[in-house]
Amino acid sequence: MTFPRDRKLCPRIRPALTLTAGACALALAGSALAATWPEKPVTLVVPYSAGGPTDVVARMLAVPMGQSLGQTVVVENTVGAGGTIAPQRVAKSKNDGYTILIHHMGMATAPALYKKLPYDPLKDFEYIGQVLDVPMTLLSRKDFPANTFPELLDYVKKNQDKVSLANAGVGAVSQLCGMLFMHQVGVKLTTVPYKGAGPAMNDLMGGQVDLLCDQTTQTAPVIQDGKRVKVFGVTTPQRLSSMPAIPTLDEQGLKGFDVKVWHGMYAPKGTPKDVIDKINKALNVAIKDETVRKRITELSSDLVTADKATPESLRKHLTAEVARWDKVIKAAGVTAE
């Protein structure tokens, strides 16, 4: 191909050639990265404290994912600001696949809960796939005066200024669940935020707080031993097959009460597709791992099927959930600020 020598024409051609060369360079760099990736450990960032529900899931997945990738997957707890610091950190991380995020439905609720969110869940991430769904349960300390859900409703309505409701921190799902409970019952209890679900559960079992709504990955073991807490119901429309004797809040009078905590895995925007594919493959290996599946079942939770553990499925689900919770949160008047 022959290019004109006229200097007036050449500047109009050169920028296009430069852009094309730049795009090719980026594509080649991405391909080179994907060909050798991973060459070092991968960090899986958790927005909440060690021992909490999301942390428990992350640590179970990290082992089989690391075996599949041929590198260690290191779980890192980046706590604070209602679970928004970790997504912000990952969104601003280098998009080389070495820093990824696992987060629950807080990715969908944060835009409605916070007026100034430092990241956009729908624009600042690449999607890896959905991970699992976790029901929630409403618990009380063992010596709480009420023994049944009707008794609980009666007690909190008459003593709302004396009843404390713990949560895992501002913006956490346990806070959202508790606020929706108060909204539907028509009471305002004293909320006590903690730095994670683990510390909140410890104080509930120790009798320092009265109530807690939290995920079964955290609550199932203490419910099943029957010695440290009382359980008043599950937050899903149907009873749990693992604990069928526990009624739902919906069937006990809180019509339409439905909170199921789904989890997804994310990478910074611009992470090469080939790298995302490798992480997604490792995720699918992990959700099929028999040890992981057995442990998740024991925690009354459900790992997603393979058709949901895909980037496209997570993208569609997150988009729909952002719209759904925007309406719910605004109707309930819930805010994290």
Side-chain angles (χ1 to χ4, degrees):
M1 180 180 292
T2 302
F3 293 100
R5 295 179 178 276
D6 190 333
R7 292 184 179 181
K8 292 181 180 179
L9 295 177
C10 287
R12 296 166 64 183
I13 296 172
R14 285 172 184 157
L17 292 175
T18 302
L19 286 171
T20 302
C24 289
L26 286 173
L28 289 171
S31 297
L33 170 64
T36 58
W37 191 93
E39 296 181 301
K40 60 182 181 180
V42 175
T43 298
L44 178 58
V45 180
V46 178
Y48 304 104
S49 62
T54 306
D55 177 75
V56 169
V57 173
R59 293 180 189 279
M60 280 192 282
L61 295 173
V63 175
M65 284 186 70
Q67 293 170 344
S68 175
L69 293 171
Q71 287 284 353
T72 302
V73 174
V74 180
V75 175
E76 179 183 299
N77 302 91
T78 302
V79 182
T84 61
I85 291 180
Q88 180 183 11
R89 188 209 150 193
V90 174
K92 295 181 181 298
S93 295
K94 190 174 181 180
N95 54 1
D96 55 8
Y98 289 107
T99 304
I100 59 178
L101 171 73
I102 183 171
H103 202 347
H104 56 43
M105 56 186 275
M107 282 290 274
T109 60
L113 287 170
Y114 294 89
K115 294 179 181 178
K116 295 181 180 180
L117 196 64
Y119 58 89
D120 187 330
L122 298 176
K123 295 180 180 179
D124 294 340
F125 299 90
E126 299 293 344
Y127 308 111
I128 298 169
Q130 294 185 64
V131 180
L132 82 164
D133 296 323
V134 186
M136 301 186 79
T137 50
L138 180 63
L139 310 176
S140 77
R141 56 184 168 85
K142 188 63 178 179
D143 57 351
F144 192 71
N147 292 304
T148 66
F149 188 68
E151 290 179 1
L152 171 67
L153 292 181
D154 182 65
Y155 186 84
V156 297
K157 287 178 180 178
K158 293 177 179 177
N159 301 276
Q160 56 182 294
D161 58 329
K162 300 177 183 178
V163 179
S164 57
L165 175 63
N167 63 59
V170 176
V173 179
S174 55
Q175 185 210 26
L176 180 63
C177 181
M179 285 190 167
L180 290 177
F181 170 75
M182 289 189 289
H183 176 71
Q184 285 200 227
V185 175
V187 297
K188 187 171 183 179
L189 310 180
T190 300
T191 56
V192 184
Y194 286 81
K195 293 182 178 180
M201 177 61 77
N202 286 337
D203 271 11
L204 184 77
M205 292 188 294
Q208 279 76 47
V209 288
D210 297 317
L211 302 174
L212 171 68
C213 183
D214 206 2
Q215 303 173 56
T216 54
T217 44
Q218 172 90 350
T219 65
V222 296
I223 290 172
Q224 290 163 353
D225 77 12
K227 299 177 181 178
R228 293 174 286 178
V229 297
K230 292 178 182 179
V231 57
F232 292 97
V234 298
T235 65
T236 49
Q238 294 81 33
R239 295 193 184 198
L240 306 181
S241 59
S242 58
M243 296 184 284
I246 302 175
T248 70
L249 298 183
D250 177 88
E251 69 182 87
Q252 296 183 92
L254 293 189
K255 296 301 179 184
F257 199 99
D258 180 8
V259 182
K260 180 182 289 186
V261 188
W262 57 270
H263 293 67
M265 201 169 283
Y266 308 81
K269 189 71 175 179
T271 301
K273 183 180 182 302
D274 288 348
V275 173
I276 293 294
D277 290 343
K278 287 185 176 183
I279 303 173
N280 175 261
K281 181 180 178 181
L283 171 61
N284 274 271
V285 168
I287 65 174
K288 295 173 184 175
D289 183 87
E290 286 303 317
T291 300
V292 173
R293 296 190 72 85
K294 182 176 182 295
R295 181 65 179 135
I296 289 294
T297 300
E298 290 172 351
L299 296 174
S300 300
S301 303
D302 298 305
L303 287 160
V304 299
T305 52
D307 61 308
K308 288 187 176 181
T310 67
E312 182 61 15
S313 176
L314 177 56
R315 184 190 69 79
K316 289 182 178 179
H317 187 65
L318 177 63
T319 301
E321 285 286 279
V322 167
R324 174 200 175 201
W325 283 103
D326 181 72
K327 294 178 181 177
V328 172
I329 291 170
K330 287 180 179 177
V334 176
T335 178
E337 298 174 320

